[in-house]
Amino acid sequence: MMSMTCHTLEFGRTGVDSVACGCFFNASLDRFTVKNRARRLLQSVHRGHGARKLRCCRRDIARCRVYSTKTSEALLNGIVPGPPPPVLEVNKESRSPISVTELFEVVADDLLTLNNNLQSIVGAENPVLMSAAEQIFGAGGKRMRPALVFLVSRATAEIVGLKELTREHRRLAEIIEMIHTASLIHDDVLDESDMRRGKQTVHQVYGTRVAVLAGDFMFAQSSWYLANLENLEVIKLISQVIKDFASGEIKQASSLFDCEVELEEYLIKSYYKTASLIAASTKGASIFSGVDSDVSEQMYQYGKNLGLSFQVVDDILDFTQSAEQLGKPTGSDLAKGNLTAPVIFALEKEPRLREIIESEFCETSSLDEAIELVKRCGGIERAQALAKEKADLALQNIQCLPQSAFRSALEGMVKYNLERID
Amino acid sequence: MMSMTCHTLEFGRTGVDSVACGCSFNASLDRFTVKNRARRVLLSVHRGYGARKLLCCRRNIARCRVYSTKTSEALLNGIVPGPPPPVLEVNKESRSSISITDLFEVVAEDLLTLNNNLQSIVGAENPVLMSAAEQIFGAGGKRMRPALVFLVSRATAEIVGLKELTREHRRLAEIIEMIHTASLIHDDVLDESDMRRGKQTVHQVYGTRVAVLAGDFMFAQSSWYLANLENLEVIKLISQVIKDFASGEIKQASSLFDCEVELEEYLIKSYYKTASLIAASTKGASIFSGVDSDVSEQMYQYGKNLGLSFQVVDDILDFTQSAEQLGKPAGSDLAKGNLTAPVIFALEKEPRLREIIESEFCETSSLDEAIELVKRCGGIERAQALAKEKADLALQSIQCLPRSAFRSALEGMVKYNLERID
């Protein structure tokens, strides 16, 4: 599946072209067709002759699959259902001396095992959901969050002389990835997004019902596996994250187009939506290694600051990258009224920007004008400084770990992120 | 709020009339209006002058509120945001010699405290969600699941000489009710239902986005409170339920209009969707009382059999009650392709029924014909026998409890349910 790309697409370009390829999947996307297709998909699996039907659909999906390498989304949300694909050096994007694949090399085997386990967990009891999960699993990117769990697990294991990762370490990584994936699927329903990483979103292809169901299922599975880890501290830690996700969504939904938003609020929302999960992952990993609580606390801070830095960089790239690079339209956050760091900084300088935003971009060219204003007012530069500030904090947090290939990789993650906006 | 009913509605009839009352809430329900209304509700609360706007919306909701007493839905899904309303003796419906209010009288104060706590939990951090939650909280019915928790808590407390309910008992009841409410909100999105208990569903009024968000938020809150109960056995028990909910939804979604469905499958699905939560509630309550595991196991069986009995009765009433009594159209399960006990039994006898179902009711009068066939083939009677069978098992499971007002109420619940179909 991974090696098949649409024959009409150039390598390295993204889903913008998939509409043109005439694939069955793009043929008719009206609500009725989507609903019926989803229902037939669910039914055909149930009736047992589904295996064949399901495979046809998979081939169809595969035919439209494209990989964008090193897009911001890919980095933050990266998961692949197989071994990391070779790095595609496309001119526009090969700016970083560090490649994510190299960073994850030291935990490549752990990631392979994770992929296999995830497929079993999600597919075994309910193979029908696998299809929807693959819609999002199978996009270009790396499994960054599980990779962080493995890196921190191994880095902290050295402190206590732990030789091999525990079953809990591995299960934690799987839980984290399931929670993350579930939140993406629901997020896309909430944002009414059509595209993610150059592919259509789950609800665009399968309908809202399947998307809500798939998300609920994965949340439920992760809660169950979490409970069965039988570690109260980690259970409480991760439950807090799920609560934070919901709070973050609500915060965002209630402040769309609201120009009164302050930086502190933005950081809290970014914490809830992004950094909370990463912080809980890194802290959880260290808990299962059995290190002292001050080390666990440092790992928490590392994850939190890394997560905030990532989010700020993502928010910058939403302004500076093209649609092809992003895998979705430029400035889509702004278009939806989600005011991020660059905008918040620019609003301090430019009253015209406020006008445009409060008009909710009712005029055709106003979004482009707004993006221009953000750039001209130094919104980007100030956001870059913010990203760097968080990154520096993350690097400090790492200092308590012994020198190792794993610690280096963790440092590399921080730097790699910043290089995306150099 | 609770005392205001629409002036054009007769007491005791249900939401079918609310469309006719001309209330602004029903005026325009196209997607755009709903979305904008939802967004404005969210925005106005955020900006601080929301209290006023939110109140306006509440008044609008209240104006259309109607209470249907003792409908099947009300019994199974009953929650009211205040003291139990006086029993309304409407002729068609006053068939039961036992009244729910009487049964719950012994735990009336516990339910009052629960209501207050729930409002704080759901409203405090995110008052905006309270609006959506009220859409479903404020319908006619009683808080059956929490009532069961309190009854079992008090009944089992007697065994070990526990004088007062613990904080954990109360929190468990709140968690159960939040999980139940969250599942209803998502269920209505998944089923694309417009009405529940004579009121519009959350997503019908606020849009899918708010519905998904409200459901996610409540699931998240309950997971967090659950984790902070710090009892691994109960955490695992409830996590299993959440997993079962998702599995049940998938099972149902993948077998719509599938006439091959067998009774066993239907019972499993009913367990996942209904009985699992009730069984976990009753077992959890007994765990927090600190009774022996064999008593806990009996409480589990009681909950499970009561839950299955409820579901079968609900499924019968979907055929035998009118739209007014149900608070939604009659035969709506069947119309959606959800084949329940009466249908499954009837299918064994009547090939014509199979034809109609497999045609997915493409012809206008076919649903009515199908309902007629189900009744004529004895589908109702056999389902009644099934409900009774489960009810008897539930009564047996109760025998291990010492005689008390609480045990009597638990027995009363079983009998009250059966009387709905006498």
Side-chain angles (χ1 to χ4, degrees):
Chain A
M1 244 189 316
M2 278 186 57
S3 54
M4 294 167 71
T5 51
C6 187
H7 63 281
T8 64
L9 290 159
E10 287 173 29
F11 212 51
R13 291 186 68 181
T14 61
V16 177
D17 280 355
S18 66
V19 178
C21 81
C23 167
F24 152 81
F25 248 94
N26 297 310
S28 48
L29 291 170
D30 62 278
R31 191 152 258 285
F32 179 75
T33 310
V34 170
K35 266 200 306 193
N36 269 331
R37 186 187 305 142
R39 193 158 64 70
R40 297 214 158 79
L41 183 63
L42 290 171
Q43 275 177 327
S44 59
V45 173
H46 175 74
R47 285 193 185 124
H49 55 254
R52 199 178 116 257
K53 273 196 181 166
L54 197 52
R55 259 179 295 185
C56 293
C57 290
R58 278 187 187 153
R59 281 202 292 273
D60 284 336
I61 298 170
R63 226 176 283 139
C64 290
R65 226 170 247 172
V66 246
Y67 296 100
S68 23
T69 56
K70 302 208 192 93
T71 62
S72 60
E73 283 277 44
L75 187 67
L76 195 61
N77 302 317
I79 33 176
V80 286
V87 171
L88 302 158
E89 295 300 331
V90 179
N91 282 350
K92 257 196 197 153
E93 300 173 63
S94 48
R95 319 218 249 123
S96 320
I98 312 171
S99 82
V100 183
T101 321
E102 285 163 18
L103 281 176
F104 294 171
E105 192 53 43
V106 284
V107 292
D109 283 352
D110 295 323
L111 288 171
L112 256 175
T113 309
L114 174 106
N115 287 332
N116 294 335
N117 291 350
L118 275 178
Q119 295 215 4
S120 311
I121 291 172
V122 181
E125 186 176 324
N126 304 94
V128 56
L129 288 186
M130 201 53 203
S131 205
E134 276 175 3
Q135 181 72 11
I136 201 169
F137 277 163
K142 316 288 179 297
R143 295 203 193 273
M144 187 201 80
R145 286 164 187 74
L148 282 171
V149 171
F150 293 133
L151 287 173
V152 172
S153 300
R154 289 189 177 281
T156 48
E158 295 212 0
I159 300 177
V160 295
L162 189 64
K163 292 298 173 200
E164 192 47 60
L165 290 195
T166 63
R167 175 185 150 271
E168 285 75 17
H169 279 131
R170 296 191 187 283
R171 196 34 65 84
L172 176 68
E174 287 152 17
I175 288 167
I176 296 293
E177 191 62 8
M178 276 193 287
I179 289 174
H180 172 62
T181 305
S183 74
L184 289 186
I185 294 176
H186 274 197
D187 268 11
D188 287 338
V189 171
L190 294 175
D191 295 342
E192 292 167 338
S193 307
D194 296 339
M195 302 288 282
R196 176 178 283 282
R197 285 183 240 138
K199 290 191 69 177
Q200 287 172 308
T201 53
V202 172
H203 77 95
Q204 183 69 10
V205 179
Y206 293 94
T208 300
R209 291 179 61 198
V210 173
V212 173
L213 194 50
D216 284 353
F217 177 75
M218 277 196 266
F219 272 126
Q221 285 279 58
S222 19
S223 300
W224 188 79
Y225 280 109
L226 180 66
N228 283 275
L229 281 181
E230 307 206 339
N231 181 306
L232 273 174
E233 192 182 0
V234 173
I235 289 172
K236 289 197 283 185
L237 193 63
I238 306 289
S239 303
Q240 180 70 50
V241 171
I242 297 175
K243 193 172 170 237
D244 289 344
F245 269 153
S247 296
E249 280 305 322
I250 290 159
K251 246 184 162 356
Q252 183 167 298
S254 22
S255 57
L256 294 177
F257 297 106
D258 182 2
C259 295
E260 301 288 327
V261 67
E262 302 204 357
L263 192 71
E264 196 49 46
E265 221 174 304
Y266 160 81
L267 287 171
I268 290 172
K269 189 208 75 180
S270 301
Y271 171 74
Y272 282 159
K273 293 197 69 175
T274 306
S276 174
L277 180 61
I278 298 177
S281 312
T282 47
K283 180 171 180 177
S286 65
I287 287 173
F288 284 131
S289 291
V291 291
D292 281 345
S293 62
D294 29 334
V295 177
S296 290
E297 195 47 40
Q298 286 302 305
M299 289 305 98
Y300 177 85
Q301 292 299 327
Y302 166 78
K304 175 185 168 186
N305 288 312
L306 177 64
L308 288 174
S309 188
F310 262 131
Q311 187 60 58
V312 175
V313 170
D314 245 30
D315 293 338
I316 291 169
L317 293 174
D318 196 54
F319 283 92
T320 61
Q321 280 193 335
S322 66
E324 289 88 348
Q325 288 167 308
L326 286 167
K328 56 178 184 169
T330 307
S332 51
D333 286 336
L334 185 54
K336 288 177 169 127
N338 180 19
L339 313 182
T340 59
V343 178
I344 295 170
F345 287 128
L347 275 169
E348 290 174 15
K349 298 262 166 74
E350 181 57 74
R352 169 71 186 139
L353 182 57
R354 189 182 179 117
E355 271 175 39
I356 302 178
I357 292 172
E358 286 181 344
S359 79
E360 299 185 15
F361 307 108
C362 52
E363 297 185 26
T364 335
S365 59
S366 53
L367 179 63
D368 289 331
E369 190 188 346
I371 293 173
E372 224 6 76
L373 283 169
V374 168
K375 291 177 177 175
R376 267 196 287 142
C377 295
I380 306 297
E381 284 77 18
R382 287 182 66 192
Q384 283 172 330
L386 176 62
K388 185 150 201 320
E389 178 194 318
K390 298 303 178 190
D392 287 338
L393 288 171
L395 286 173
Q396 284 173 39
N397 299 129
I398 281 293
Q399 299 309 306
C400 63
L401 297 177
Q403 299 271 26
S404 70
F406 309 111
R407 174 177 146 174
S408 303
L410 291 168
E411 284 164 349
M413 287 294 295
V414 181
K415 293 171 185 166
Y416 179 70
N417 174 47
L418 286 183
E419 281 176 2
R420 295 192 289 151
I421 50 172
D422 272 347
Chain B
M1 243 191 317
M2 277 187 56
S3 53
M4 294 167 72
T5 50
C6 187
H7 63 283
T8 62
L9 289 159
E10 287 172 28
F11 211 50
R13 292 186 67 182
T14 63
V16 176
D17 280 355
S18 67
V19 178
C21 80
C23 165
S24 76
F25 237 78
N26 296 313
S28 50
L29 290 171
D30 60 281
R31 193 153 259 283
F32 179 75
T33 310
V34 169
K35 269 199 306 194
N36 268 330
R37 185 188 306 142
R39 193 157 66 71
R40 296 213 157 80
V41 170
L42 291 171
L43 275 176
S44 58
V45 172
H46 174 74
R47 287 196 184 124
Y49 54 81
R52 201 181 113 254
K53 273 203 179 160
L54 200 52
L55 276 164
C56 292
C57 291
R58 278 187 188 155
R59 280 202 292 273
N60 284 337
I61 299 171
R63 226 176 283 140
C64 291
R65 225 168 250 174
V66 244
Y67 295 102
S68 20
T69 57
K70 303 206 191 96
T71 62
S72 60
E73 283 276 45
L75 187 65
L76 195 60
N77 302 316
I79 34 175
V80 285
V87 171
L88 303 158
E89 295 299 332
V90 177
N91 284 347
K92 258 196 197 154
E93 303 174 60
S94 49
R95 319 218 249 123
S96 320
S97 45
I98 312 171
S99 84
I100 270 291
T101 323
D102 293 342
L103 281 177
F104 292 172
E105 191 53 41
V106 284
V107 291
E109 288 195 17
D110 295 324
L111 288 171
L112 255 175
T113 309
L114 175 106
N115 287 333
N116 293 335
N117 291 349
L118 275 178
Q119 295 214 5
S120 311
I121 291 172
V122 182
E125 186 176 322
N126 303 94
V128 55
L129 287 186
M130 201 53 202
S131 207
E134 274 174 7
Q135 181 72 11
I136 201 169
F137 277 162
K142 314 290 180 300
R143 294 204 194 271
M144 189 201 81
R145 287 164 186 73
L148 281 171
V149 172
F150 293 132
L151 287 173
V152 172
S153 299
R154 291 190 176 281
T156 48
E158 295 216 0
I159 300 177
V160 295
L162 190 64
K163 292 299 172 200
E164 192 45 61
L165 290 196
T166 64
R167 175 185 150 270
E168 284 76 16
H169 280 131
R170 296 190 188 285
R171 196 35 65 82
L172 177 68
E174 287 152 18
I175 289 167
I176 296 294
E177 191 62 9
M178 277 193 287
I179 289 174
H180 172 60
T181 305
S183 73
L184 289 186
I185 294 177
H186 273 197
D187 268 10
D188 288 337
V189 172
L190 295 175
D191 294 342
E192 293 168 336
S193 306
D194 296 339
M195 303 288 282
R196 176 178 284 281
R197 286 182 240 136
K199 289 192 68 174
Q200 287 173 308
T201 53
V202 173
H203 77 94
Q204 182 70 10
V205 178
Y206 293 94
T208 300
R209 291 180 60 197
V210 173
V212 174
L213 193 51
D216 284 353
F217 178 74
M218 277 195 267
F219 272 126
Q221 285 280 58
S222 18
S223 301
W224 187 79
Y225 280 109
L226 180 65
N228 282 274
L229 281 181
E230 307 205 338
N231 181 306
L232 273 175
E233 190 182 3
V234 174
I235 290 172
K236 289 197 283 186
L237 192 64
I238 306 290
S239 304
Q240 180 70 50
V241 172
I242 297 175
K243 192 171 169 237
D244 289 344
F245 269 155
S247 296
E249 280 304 323
I250 290 160
K251 244 181 163 2
Q252 182 167 298
S254 23
S255 56
L256 293 177
F257 298 106
D258 182 2
C259 295
E260 301 288 326
V261 66
E262 302 203 357
L263 193 71
E264 196 49 48
E265 221 174 303
Y266 160 81
L267 287 170
I268 290 172
K269 188 209 76 178
S270 301
Y271 172 75
Y272 281 160
K273 292 197 67 174
T274 305
S276 174
L277 180 62
I278 298 177
S281 312
T282 47
K283 181 172 179 177
S286 64
I287 287 172
F288 283 131
S289 291
V291 291
D292 280 344
S293 61
D294 28 334
V295 176
S296 291
E297 195 45 41
Q298 286 302 304
M299 290 305 98
Y300 178 85
Q301 292 300 326
Y302 166 79
K304 174 182 166 185
N305 289 307
L306 176 65
L308 288 175
S309 188
F310 262 131
Q311 188 60 59
V312 175
V313 170
D314 245 31
D315 292 337
I316 291 168
L317 293 174
D318 195 55
F319 283 92
T320 60
Q321 281 194 334
S322 66
E324 287 88 349
Q325 288 166 308
L326 286 167
K328 55 176 185 170
S332 53
D333 285 335
L334 186 54
K336 290 178 166 125
N338 180 19
L339 313 181
T340 59
V343 179
I344 294 170
F345 286 128
L347 275 170
E348 290 174 14
K349 297 263 166 70
E350 182 55 74
R352 169 70 186 140
L353 181 58
R354 188 183 180 118
E355 271 175 40
I356 302 177
I357 294 173
E358 286 182 343
S359 80
E360 299 185 14
F361 308 108
C362 52
E363 296 185 29
T364 335
S365 59
S366 52
L367 179 63
D368 290 329
E369 190 187 347
I371 294 174
E372 227 1 79
L373 284 170
V374 168
K375 290 177 177 175
R376 265 196 289 141
C377 297
I380 306 295
E381 286 76 17
R382 288 182 67 191
Q384 283 172 329
L386 176 63
K388 185 150 200 323
E389 178 194 316
K390 298 302 178 191
D392 287 338
L393 289 171
L395 286 173
Q396 282 171 42
S397 309
I398 282 292
Q399 299 310 305
C400 63
L401 298 177
R403 292 197 173 281
S404 68
F406 310 111
R407 174 176 144 174
S408 303
L410 291 169
E411 284 164 349
M413 287 293 295
V414 180
K415 293 169 186 167
Y416 179 71
N417 174 46
L418 285 183
E419 281 176 3
R420 297 193 287 152
I421 48 172
D422 273 347

